[in-house]
């Protein structure tokens, strides 16, 4: 009892004097984001809904994104990394407490003993072995702090992946619809040119036309036919990409993704308060958490400059005969305090410390890069959507005028009031305008996707139900981070 009280007293005194070395982390100050394009008339500061894609009012798109959030392989990889990080954090947190193991051991030996020859001995033991490192300089606390920051970074990485997957599904969906509409335009144009081709051949056979008109019309048809394989390939590639994003094999969604009309979403987009952009972007939050982890690891490396104090102990039974091991006469215990210090290898310790400090400098640069990248990405997306709206308006006017000009040219050609080259040029202009209109409509929708992806997709606590289900699957605690932070501080 005296020894036990002495050990407890020494441990209490050491713990009372303990200090946590290394830099204490302070999150970088973040000035509100300033985005000039956010003031465009194409946007307002109304807070967007979490499932921003519902604005398209397209049930097929809604279902595809829900499927992707539930079955995308990249999301499950991210979820596994969160689980791994949580397990590592739990292990580092438990390092702060004593480790106790149950042990059963039997040792047989035969050794020479002076005057007795070779003597065979047996030692049996059963009991509890305990080991505890007194965290005098915060090495274990800093390690747990770093693991906790890593866990938070992985959670934000998973959110960023969810944002990316939803956006990729939507982007490929609108590119698919754009390719389908371009194919429809090309095929309708081919039908119209087929009638023109028959007309020019009839006029040539009657002596009212020339072979030049026939061959020019034929060449134009073949040129359009040559674009069909390229457009069909683009359509198939977008369809296959959507299938893989939703966790399916290529070729399984042909019926679901059959051609259909998808109008451009030309409206004033709600984008919320863009001044909080850097706090809602999950990639920026992940970079900030990795900076916190790197800072804590500087403390871990700094603590290696100081001694480590550990206590090992045993409580149980010890005897030379296993059959009578567990009885009162065989009770045994031991306490072994120990101190280890790299006193003659501090050069290596300091070298490791410099390496960790350099890694921390790199994490600072990575964080600054993430901030600048987020600002650039969002400004480009906002500007792109605003300009695409203007482009769509002009291209729509161009397509209307081109169709009217083609109709007039055909009527005049049939009446003999205009030559064939005028008709051919009008038809070429109409095809180009209709094709540009199909691309512009798809471009506006893709621009919407880019805007919400750049804004962070969705922000806590406004989480889409599909996203919430994924978080429940990986066991994400609620409220986020509260219990983990408390455990670190304890």
């Amino acid at each position: 009892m005296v020894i036990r009280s002495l050990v407890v007293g020494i441990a209490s005194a050491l713990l009372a004097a303990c200090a946590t070395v290394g830099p204490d982390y302070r999150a970088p100050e973040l000035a509100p984001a300033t985005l000039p394009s956010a003031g465009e008339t194409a946007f307002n500061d109304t807070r967007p809904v979490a499932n921003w894609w519902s604005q398209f009012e397209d049930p097929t798109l809604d279902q595809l994104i829900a499927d992707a959030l539930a079955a995308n392989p990249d999301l499950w990889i991210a979820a596994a990394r969160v689980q791994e990080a949580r397990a590592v954090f739990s292990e580092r947190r438990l390092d702060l407490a004593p480790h106790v193991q149950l042990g059963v051991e039997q040792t047989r030996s035969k050794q020479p003993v002076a005057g007795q020859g070779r003597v065979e001995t047996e030692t049996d033991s059963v009991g509890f072995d305990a080991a505890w490192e007194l965290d005098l300089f915060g090495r274990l606390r800093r390690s747990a702090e770093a693991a906790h920051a890593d866990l938070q970074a992985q959670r934000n990485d998973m959110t960023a992946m969810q944002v990316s997957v939803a956006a990729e599904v939507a982007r490929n969906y609108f590119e698919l619809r754009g390719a389908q509409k371009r194919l429809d335009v090309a095929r309708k144009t081919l039908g119209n040119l087929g009638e023109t081709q028959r007309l020019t051949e009839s006029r040539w056979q009657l002596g009212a036309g020339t072979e030049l008109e026939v061959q020019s019309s034929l060449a134009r048809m073949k040129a359009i036919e040559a674009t069909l394989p390229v457009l069909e390939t683009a359509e198939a590639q977008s369809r296959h990409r959507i299938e893989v994003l939703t966790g399916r094999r290529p070729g399984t969604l042909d019926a679901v993704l059959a051609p259909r009309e998808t109008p451009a979403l030309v409206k004033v987009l709600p984008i919320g308060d863009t001044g909080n952009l850097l706090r809602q972007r999950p990639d920026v939050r992940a970079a900030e958490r990795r900076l916190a982890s790197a800072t804590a690891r500087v403390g871990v490396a700094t603590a290696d400059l100081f001694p480590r104090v550990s206590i090992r102990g045993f409580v149980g039974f010890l005897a030379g005969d296993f059959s009578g091991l567990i009885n009162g006469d065989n009770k045994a215990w031991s306490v072994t305090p120990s101190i280890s210090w790299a006193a003659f290898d501090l050069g290596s310790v300091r070298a490791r410390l410099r390496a960790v400090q350099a890694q921390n400098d790199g994490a600072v640069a990575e964080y600054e890069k993430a901030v600048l990248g987020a600002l650039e990405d969002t400004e480009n997306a906002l500007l792109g959507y605003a300009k695409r709206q203007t482009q769509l308006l002009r291209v729509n006017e161009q397509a209307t005028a081109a169709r009217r000009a083609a109709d007039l040219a055909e009527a005049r050609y049939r009446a003999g009031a205009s030559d064939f080259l005028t008709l051919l040029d009008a038809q070429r202009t109409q095809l180009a305008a209709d094709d540009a209109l199909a691309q512009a409509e798809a471009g506006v929708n893709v621009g919407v996707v880019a805007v919400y992806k750049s804004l962070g997709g969705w922000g806590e606590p406004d989480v889409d139900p599909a996203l919430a289900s994924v978080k429940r699957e990986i066991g994400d605690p609620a409220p986020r981070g509260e219990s983990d932070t408390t455990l670190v501080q304890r």
Side-chain angles (χ1 to χ4, degrees):
M1 289 297 295
V2 174
I3 295 178
R4 180 180 302 176
S5 300
L6 179 62
V7 171
V8 172
I10 294 174
S12 301
L14 288 173
L15 287 174
C18 68
T20 303
V21 299
D24 291 326
Y25 178 72
R26 294 291 182 271
E29 292 292 333
L30 272 179
T34 303
L35 301 168
S37 294
E40 295 278 350
T41 57
F43 311 105
N44 63 41
D45 59 3
T46 303
R47 186 177 183 182
V49 295
N51 55 333
W52 50 265
W53 52 87
S54 64
Q55 296 178 78
F56 293 99
E57 297 181 353
D58 188 328
T60 302
L61 176 61
D62 293 345
Q63 188 59 53
L64 289 172
I65 291 180
D67 291 347
L69 290 176
N72 181 267
D74 287 331
L75 282 182
W76 290 109
I77 292 172
R81 288 173 179 165
V82 171
Q83 292 177 323
E84 177 186 1
R86 182 182 290 112
V88 171
F89 169 58
S90 297
E91 181 183 7
R92 296 293 175 269
R93 183 186 60 199
L94 292 172
D95 284 342
L96 293 165
H99 292 271
V100 180
Q101 296 181 340
L102 173 64
V104 178
E105 184 176 310
Q106 182 180 65
T107 303
R108 290 178 178 272
S109 64
K110 194 171 186 178
Q111 301 176 355
V113 177
Q116 300 182 34
R118 296 176 63 83
V119 178
E120 183 176 345
T121 61
E122 176 182 332
T123 303
D124 301 300
S125 67
V126 59
F128 296 94
D129 292 295
W132 184 25
E133 178 181 339
L134 304 181
D135 195 24
L136 301 182
F137 301 101
R139 187 182 73 86
L140 299 179
R141 291 193 296 279
R142 291 298 192 193
S143 182
E145 181 183 337
H148 182 241
D150 287 337
L151 171 58
Q152 293 173 319
Q154 289 295 342
R155 284 172 170 164
N156 282 298
D157 282 343
M158 188 180 72
T159 301
M161 181 59 67
Q162 290 160 342
V163 170
S164 178
V165 166
E168 281 299 293
V169 171
R171 182 180 66 81
N172 280 276
Y173 181 78
F174 292 124
E175 289 180 350
L176 169 73
R177 296 308 187 198
Q180 290 173 338
K181 187 165 185 177
R182 293 180 68 193
L183 272 169
D184 183 60
V185 168
R187 287 165 179 158
K188 287 180 178 178
T189 302
L190 275 177
N192 294 336
L193 287 179
E195 294 181 7
T196 303
Q197 176 69 14
R198 289 188 290 273
L199 177 61
T200 56
E201 289 177 349
S202 298
R203 286 169 57 86
W204 180 39
Q205 291 170 359
L206 294 173
T210 65
E211 185 181 1
L212 175 61
E213 293 176 349
V214 174
Q215 295 303 321
S216 295
S217 176
L218 181 62
R220 185 60 186 155
M221 286 182 61
K222 296 303 178 183
I224 296 174
E225 287 177 354
T227 65
L228 294 181
V230 177
L231 295 174
E232 288 168 348
T233 299
E235 179 196 21
Q237 288 175 340
S238 295
R239 184 172 63 250
H240 296 160
R241 185 63 188 145
I242 291 171
E243 289 163 339
V244 171
L245 285 168
T246 56
R248 298 178 173 93
R249 295 188 177 188
T252 56
L253 290 178
D254 291 353
V256 174
L257 297 175
R260 53 164 292 183
E261 187 69 22
T262 304
L265 184 66
V266 182
K267 59 173 287 188
V268 176
L269 292 184
I271 60 174
D273 180 11
T274 56
N276 291 323
L277 169 70
L278 299 176
R279 291 181 174 84
Q280 67 191 42
R281 287 266 303 209
D283 57 337
V284 175
R285 296 201 304 264
E288 186 272 330
R289 289 290 80 203
R290 288 193 168 88
L291 174 57
S293 174
T295 303
R297 285 189 167 83
V298 173
V300 175
T302 303
D304 287 338
L305 293 169
F306 300 91
R308 295 187 191 180
V309 178
S310 301
I311 298 177
R312 294 184 177 276
F314 171 80
V315 175
F317 299 91
L318 180 65
D321 184 1
F322 196 82
S323 60
L325 176 62
I326 302 177
N327 62 60
D329 294 335
N330 292 330
K331 288 181 179 178
W333 61 267
S334 67
V335 176
T336 310
S338 66
I339 298 177
S340 62
W341 184 28
F344 300 102
D345 194 27
L346 290 179
S348 297
V349 176
R350 290 192 177 97
R352 289 194 297 271
L353 176 58
R354 290 194 298 271
V356 174
Q357 289 171 333
Q359 292 172 359
N360 186 59
D361 292 341
V364 172
E366 288 289 344
Y367 173 73
E368 292 175 351
K369 177 182 176 182
V371 168
L372 294 175
L375 294 172
E376 177 191 19
D377 184 29
T378 307
E379 177 63 19
N380 287 345
L382 295 175
L383 178 64
Y385 177 71
K387 297 304 181 184
R388 282 189 176 104
Q389 278 195 344
T390 303
Q391 178 198 27
L392 178 59
L393 177 63
R394 300 293 176 260
V395 171
N396 192 40
E397 293 171 347
Q398 175 197 7
T400 300
R403 283 191 288 270
R404 177 60 178 162
D407 291 341
L408 291 173
E410 183 177 359
R412 289 174 60 83
Y413 177 70
R414 289 179 180 275
S418 178
D419 60 18
F420 177 72
L421 292 180
T422 301
L423 172 61
L424 192 62
D425 183 64
Q427 290 176 332
R428 182 185 300 113
T429 302
Q430 179 189 355
L431 172 62
D434 288 342
D435 187 72
L437 179 59
Q439 293 186 66
E441 289 176 343
V444 166
N445 289 339
V446 170
V448 174
V449 176
V451 166
Y452 286 112
K453 182 182 179 183
S454 69
L455 292 174
W458 49 67
E460 302 286 358
D462 241 352
V463 180
D464 182 75
L467 172 60
S469 68
V470 174
K471 290 187 175 182
R472 285 194 297 271
E473 286 291 335
I474 66 166
D476 199 34
R480 166 169 291 185
E482 179 178 329
S483 59
D484 290 345
T485 303
T486 303
L487 289 168
V488 169
Q489 293 172 343
R490 289 176 183 172

